[in-house]
C-alpha cells in the first residue's frame, strides 16, 4: 500500500493546489478541510506525513502532542505565512518534523519528503 500525504487546510483552493503539486511529483495526496476528522482519516490509511496549515486550522500544543504520540509513524509538518508561532513553541520544538513557509518552496518540501523516505528505508534495512 502506497503511503500518502494528508493535507489539512480549510482553504479548499490552497489545499487542492498543494495536493496537485504532490501528485505531480507522484505522491499520493489526500485533502481534509477540518481537524475534527483527522484521527478517523488514519483508520485504514497509511500516511507518511500530514501537512497542517496552521494559519487556517486552529491547533494547540496538546493536540499536536496527542497526535504525534498516537501516530508515531507519521511525520507532521506545519505550513504558515507567519515566521513565528509562540503559542505552538512546544509542539514545534518536540513534535513537528518541519515548518514550511507559504507559498511552499517545492524544493524544500520534496527535500523533506525524500529525507523521510530515505530514513524509513535505512531503518528497514538495519
Amino acid at each position: 500500500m502506497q503511503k500518502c500525504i494528508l493535507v489539512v487546510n480549510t482553504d479548499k483552493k490552497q489545499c487542492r493546489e498543494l495536493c496537485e503539486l504532490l501528485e505531480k511529483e507522484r505522491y499520493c495526496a489526500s485533502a481534509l478541510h477540518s481537524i475534527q476528522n483527522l484521527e478517523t482519516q488514519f483508520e485504514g490509511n497509511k500516511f507518511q506525513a500530514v501537512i497542517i496549515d496552521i494559519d487556517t486550522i486552529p491547533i494547540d500544543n496538546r493536540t499536536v502532542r496527542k497526535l504525534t504520540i498516537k501516530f508515531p509513524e507519521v511525520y507532521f509538518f506545519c505550513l504558515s505565512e507567519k515566521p513565528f508561532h509562540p503559542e505552538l513553541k512546544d509542539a514545534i520544538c518536540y513534535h513537528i518534523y518541519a515548518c514550511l513557509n507559504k507559498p511552499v518552496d517545492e524544493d524544500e518540501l520534496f527535500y523533506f519528503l525524500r529525507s523521510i523516505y530515505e530514513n524509513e528505508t535505512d531503518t528497514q534495512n538495519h
Side-chain angles (χ1 to χ4, degrees), residues 72-122:
E73 71 283 0
V74 178
Y75 292 82
F76 286 84
F77 290 79
C78 286
L79 182 64
S80 178
E81 289 179 340
K82 301 176 206 163
F84 299 107
H85 287 275
E87 74 282 4
L88 292 174
K89 183 176 94 172
D90 291 338
I92 290 170
C93 283
Y94 301 110
H95 302 288
I96 300 294
Y97 184 71
C99 294
L100 304 170
N101 291 323
K102 287 196 279 189
V104 173
D105 178 331
E106 294 179 31
D107 292 334
E108 180 182 41
L109 172 63
F110 294 117
Y111 167 79
F112 283 124
L113 293 176
R114 278 191 309 274
S115 296
I116 291 169
Y117 175 78
E118 290 169 4
N119 183 45
E120 289 177 345
T121 302
D122 287 346

Side-chain angles (χ1 to χ4, degrees), residues 13-125:
K13 180 179 182 282
Q14 286 181 9
C15 193
R16 184 181 69 248
E17 288 171 353
L18 185 52
C19 286
E20 288 171 357
L21 174 66
L22 290 163
E23 290 167 350
K24 184 178 85 175
E25 294 295 321
R26 298 195 176 137
Y27 286 90
C28 168
S30 295
L32 185 64
H33 305 294
S34 162
I35 196 85
Q36 278 71 31
N37 299 323
L38 183 60
E39 286 191 41
T40 58
Q41 287 293 311
F42 287 100
E43 296 170 11
N45 294 304
K46 283 275 200 188
F47 290 108
Q48 182 177 39
V50 175
I51 301 172
I52 302 171
D53 186 324
I54 58 176
D55 292 341
T56 68
I57 299 291
I59 195 159
D60 58 26
N61 284 306
R62 193 176 92 215
T63 303
V64 173
R65 182 173 52 83
K66 185 177 108 182
L67 287 168
T68 58
I69 289 170
K70 191 167 185 177
F71 305 103
E73 71 283 0
V74 178
Y75 292 82
F76 286 84
F77 290 79
C78 286
L79 182 64
S80 178
E81 289 179 340
K82 301 176 206 163
F84 299 107
H85 287 275
E87 74 282 4
L88 292 174
K89 183 176 94 172
D90 291 338
I92 290 170
C93 283
Y94 301 110
H95 302 288
I96 300 294
Y97 184 71
C99 294
L100 304 170
N101 291 323
K102 287 196 279 189
V104 173
D105 178 331
E106 294 179 31
D107 292 334
E108 180 182 41
L109 172 63
F110 294 117
Y111 167 79
F112 283 124
L113 293 176
R114 278 191 309 274
S115 296
I116 291 169
Y117 175 78
E118 290 169 4
N119 183 45
E120 289 177 345
T121 302
D122 287 346
T123 303
Q124 291 171 359
N125 290 334

